[in-house]
Amino acid sequence: MTVRRLSFLAALSLLATPALAAADTTAPTSAATPTPQGSAVPVHTPHDPSPDQLEAHITTLHQQLGITTAQESAWNAFAQVMRDNAARFHDTIEQRRTKLPTLSAPDNMQSYADLITQRAQDLQALNMAFRTLYNGLSDAQKKDADVLFRQSDNHPKQAATTH
């Protein structure tokens, strides 16, 4: 039985910003636990990006948004929230993977719920940092950001122009 992840979960696990959400995520995103019959049952643990993927995403997003010297302070705050969120997410996923072999079904579900709750809190912090950055963008940059962020979650790609 194959379980297909929802694009919402993919967006959550990839920091909900464009470019990284479109990055190759062919690395294993779930562990398999054998059942008594020997078949594999997918374990729902989202994929977290590597530090290199995250830094490449931050660099690409900086370029795509055309961040100016005057905007660097707000950009740096936003990028730091992305890094902090990614580190927390990685640690949480590793803790979950370590515990999975001994979790009961209800504990497994609670572990996943806790992970998603933490991601939601992290995304709120990311949103607040991005709003500060966004408010300091030029009108042309805001327009580009709007198009760029619409590209995630498998929406048709529209080219964002840089100004």
Side-chain angles (χ1 to χ4, degrees), residues 32-107:
T33 305
T35 64
Q37 295 80 20
S39 63
V41 176
V43 175
H44 302 284
T45 300
H47 170 73
D48 61 307
S50 72
D52 290 343
Q53 287 173 315
L54 178 64
E55 289 305 319
H57 173 57
I58 289 171
T59 298
T60 299
L61 195 55
H62 185 279
Q63 293 168 348
Q64 289 173 322
L65 294 174
I67 301 300
T68 67
T69 304
Q71 297 162 337
E72 281 296 326
S73 178
W75 169 261
N76 289 335
F78 172 65
Q80 189 58 51
V81 171
M82 288 178 66
R83 289 180 184 104
D84 293 346
N85 286 356
R88 186 171 24 261
F89 187 60
H90 175 77
D91 291 346
T92 302
I93 288 207
E94 288 304 310
Q95 290 169 8
R96 176 175 159 72
R97 285 185 181 136
T98 300
K99 294 176 188 175
L100 273 173
T102 60
L103 290 178
S104 66
D107 289 342

Side-chain angles (χ1 to χ4, degrees), residues 121-138:
Q121 292 168 353
D122 287 348
L123 288 170
Q124 287 296 338
L126 186 65
N127 181 48
M128 294 307 296
F130 185 73
R131 282 184 182 276
T132 300
L133 173 65
Y134 186 86
N135 289 338
L137 298 178
S138 70

